[in-house]
Short mmCIF file of all heavy atoms in Angstrom, two decimals:
data_model
loop_
_atom_site.label_atom_id
_atom_site.label_comp_id
_atom_site.label_asym_id
_atom_site.label_seq_id
_atom_site.Cartn_x
_atom_site.Cartn_y
_atom_site.Cartn_z
N ASP A 21 15.24 36.16 -21.47
CA ASP A 21 15.86 36.71 -22.63
C ASP A 21 17.40 36.81 -22.48
O ASP A 21 18.14 36.66 -23.41
CB ASP A 21 15.34 38.18 -22.85
CG ASP A 21 13.99 38.05 -23.59
OD1 ASP A 21 13.57 36.96 -24.07
OD2 ASP A 21 13.38 39.16 -23.76
N ARG A 22 17.76 37.08 -21.23
CA ARG A 22 19.22 37.16 -21.02
C ARG A 22 19.79 35.78 -21.31
O ARG A 22 20.93 35.69 -21.89
CB ARG A 22 19.54 37.50 -19.52
CG ARG A 22 19.24 39.00 -19.28
CD ARG A 22 19.66 39.39 -17.85
NE ARG A 22 19.02 40.70 -17.45
CZ ARG A 22 18.43 40.97 -16.35
NH1 ARG A 22 18.40 40.06 -15.38
NH2 ARG A 22 17.88 42.08 -16.06
N LEU A 23 19.13 34.73 -20.77
CA LEU A 23 19.65 33.40 -21.03
C LEU A 23 19.75 33.06 -22.48
O LEU A 23 20.67 32.43 -23.00
CB LEU A 23 18.85 32.40 -20.34
CG LEU A 23 19.21 32.01 -18.86
CD1 LEU A 23 18.22 31.02 -18.30
CD2 LEU A 23 20.67 31.45 -18.86
N ARG A 24 18.68 33.49 -23.26
CA ARG A 24 18.67 33.25 -24.73
C ARG A 24 19.88 34.00 -25.36
O ARG A 24 20.59 33.37 -26.27
CB ARG A 24 17.37 33.78 -25.31
CG ARG A 24 16.31 32.69 -25.36
CD ARG A 24 15.12 33.10 -26.19
NE ARG A 24 14.25 34.07 -25.49
CZ ARG A 24 13.27 33.70 -24.62
NH1 ARG A 24 13.04 32.41 -24.46
NH2 ARG A 24 12.55 34.60 -24.04
N ALA A 25 20.16 35.19 -24.90
CA ALA A 25 21.35 35.92 -25.44
C ALA A 25 22.63 35.14 -25.16
O ALA A 25 23.54 35.04 -26.06
CB ALA A 25 21.44 37.30 -24.89
N ILE A 26 22.68 34.56 -24.03
CA ILE A 26 23.91 33.85 -23.69
C ILE A 26 23.97 32.57 -24.51
O ILE A 26 25.05 32.18 -25.05
CB ILE A 26 23.92 33.44 -22.12
CG1 ILE A 26 23.96 34.72 -21.25
CG2 ILE A 26 25.10 32.54 -21.78
CD1 ILE A 26 25.10 35.63 -21.57
N GLN A 27 22.82 31.86 -24.63
CA GLN A 27 22.80 30.65 -25.38
C GLN A 27 23.32 30.94 -26.84
O GLN A 27 24.08 30.07 -27.44
CB GLN A 27 21.37 30.18 -25.46
CG GLN A 27 21.17 28.91 -26.28
CD GLN A 27 19.80 28.25 -26.18
OE1 GLN A 27 18.89 28.93 -25.63
NE2 GLN A 27 19.61 27.07 -26.66
N ALA A 28 22.86 32.14 -27.39
CA ALA A 28 23.25 32.42 -28.82
C ALA A 28 24.77 32.51 -28.97
O ALA A 28 25.27 32.41 -30.04
CB ALA A 28 22.59 33.71 -29.23
N LEU A 29 25.50 32.79 -27.83
CA LEU A 29 26.95 32.90 -27.99
C LEU A 29 27.55 31.57 -28.11
O LEU A 29 28.78 31.51 -28.47
CB LEU A 29 27.55 33.59 -26.68
CG LEU A 29 27.06 35.06 -26.45
CD1 LEU A 29 27.60 35.59 -25.17
CD2 LEU A 29 27.49 35.92 -27.61
N GLY A 30 26.92 30.54 -27.78
CA GLY A 30 27.51 29.17 -27.97
C GLY A 30 28.49 28.77 -26.95
O GLY A 30 29.40 27.93 -27.26
N LEU A 31 28.43 29.36 -25.79
CA LEU A 31 29.47 29.10 -24.74
C LEU A 31 29.09 27.85 -23.96
O LEU A 31 30.03 27.22 -23.27
CB LEU A 31 29.66 30.24 -23.89
CG LEU A 31 30.08 31.56 -24.52
CD1 LEU A 31 29.94 32.69 -23.47
CD2 LEU A 31 31.51 31.45 -24.92
N LEU A 32 27.79 27.56 -23.84
CA LEU A 32 27.42 26.62 -22.92
C LEU A 32 26.90 25.33 -23.52
O LEU A 32 26.23 25.25 -24.58
CB LEU A 32 26.20 27.13 -22.09
CG LEU A 32 26.53 28.39 -21.19
CD1 LEU A 32 25.23 29.08 -20.82
CD2 LEU A 32 27.32 28.02 -20.05
N ASP A 33 27.24 24.15 -22.90
CA ASP A 33 26.78 22.89 -23.42
C ASP A 33 25.31 22.70 -22.93
O ASP A 33 24.75 23.53 -22.11
CB ASP A 33 27.66 21.70 -22.99
CG ASP A 33 27.72 21.49 -21.50
OD1 ASP A 33 26.79 21.88 -20.82
OD2 ASP A 33 28.65 20.83 -21.03
N GLU A 34 24.69 21.69 -23.42
CA GLU A 34 23.20 21.44 -23.10
C GLU A 34 22.90 21.34 -21.56
O GLU A 34 21.94 21.91 -21.10
CB GLU A 34 22.68 20.18 -23.76
CG GLU A 34 22.14 20.44 -25.15
CD GLU A 34 21.66 19.16 -25.84
OE1 GLU A 34 21.28 18.30 -25.10
OE2 GLU A 34 21.79 19.15 -27.05
N ASP A 35 23.81 20.63 -20.84
CA ASP A 35 23.62 20.42 -19.44
C ASP A 35 23.64 21.75 -18.73
O ASP A 35 22.83 22.08 -17.77
CB ASP A 35 24.70 19.58 -18.88
CG ASP A 35 24.48 18.04 -19.25
OD1 ASP A 35 23.36 17.82 -19.85
OD2 ASP A 35 25.35 17.25 -19.07
N ALA A 36 24.63 22.65 -19.05
CA ALA A 36 24.82 23.87 -18.45
C ALA A 36 23.54 24.83 -18.76
O ALA A 36 23.10 25.43 -17.83
CB ALA A 36 26.11 24.54 -18.95
N LEU A 37 23.15 24.78 -19.97
CA LEU A 37 21.99 25.59 -20.33
C LEU A 37 20.70 25.10 -19.61
O LEU A 37 19.90 25.96 -19.02
CB LEU A 37 21.66 25.46 -21.87
CG LEU A 37 22.44 26.43 -22.78
CD1 LEU A 37 22.24 26.02 -24.25
CD2 LEU A 37 21.98 27.87 -22.51
N ALA A 38 20.53 23.78 -19.50
CA ALA A 38 19.40 23.26 -18.78
C ALA A 38 19.46 23.56 -17.34
O ALA A 38 18.46 24.05 -16.75
CB ALA A 38 19.31 21.75 -19.00
N HIS A 39 20.66 23.62 -16.72
CA HIS A 39 20.79 23.92 -15.37
C HIS A 39 20.39 25.37 -15.14
O HIS A 39 19.69 25.65 -14.19
CB HIS A 39 22.30 23.62 -14.96
CG HIS A 39 22.57 24.26 -13.62
ND1 HIS A 39 22.36 23.61 -12.52
CD2 HIS A 39 23.20 25.43 -13.22
CE1 HIS A 39 22.64 24.24 -11.38
NE2 HIS A 39 23.16 25.42 -11.86
N LEU A 40 20.91 26.26 -15.95
CA LEU A 40 20.60 27.76 -15.75
C LEU A 40 19.16 27.95 -16.01
O LEU A 40 18.49 28.71 -15.26
CB LEU A 40 21.50 28.60 -16.65
CG LEU A 40 22.97 28.53 -16.32
CD1 LEU A 40 23.79 29.35 -17.34
CD2 LEU A 40 23.32 29.00 -14.92
N ALA A 41 18.58 27.36 -17.06
CA ALA A 41 17.17 27.54 -17.42
C ALA A 41 16.24 27.13 -16.29
O ALA A 41 15.16 27.61 -16.13
CB ALA A 41 16.86 26.86 -18.75
N SER A 42 16.74 26.05 -15.55
CA SER A 42 15.88 25.61 -14.37
C SER A 42 15.99 26.48 -13.19
O SER A 42 15.48 26.22 -12.12
CB SER A 42 16.25 24.17 -14.10
OG SER A 42 17.47 24.15 -13.38
N GLY A 43 16.76 27.59 -13.28
CA GLY A 43 16.87 28.43 -12.15
C GLY A 43 18.18 28.22 -11.28
O GLY A 43 18.41 28.87 -10.26
N GLY A 44 19.07 27.35 -11.82
CA GLY A 44 20.32 27.04 -11.07
C GLY A 44 19.97 26.15 -9.79
O GLY A 44 19.10 25.28 -9.88
N GLY A 45 20.75 26.39 -8.85
CA GLY A 45 20.56 25.60 -7.67
C GLY A 45 21.35 24.37 -7.64
O GLY A 45 22.18 24.08 -8.43
#
Side-chain angles (χ1 to χ4, degrees):
D21 278 353
R22 290 186 195 134
L23 269 178
R24 269 191 284 278
I26 299 305
Q27 179 173 13
L29 298 176
L31 299 168
L32 296 168
D33 67 22
E34 269 180 30
D35 287 349
L37 273 171
H39 170 78
L40 295 177
S42 72

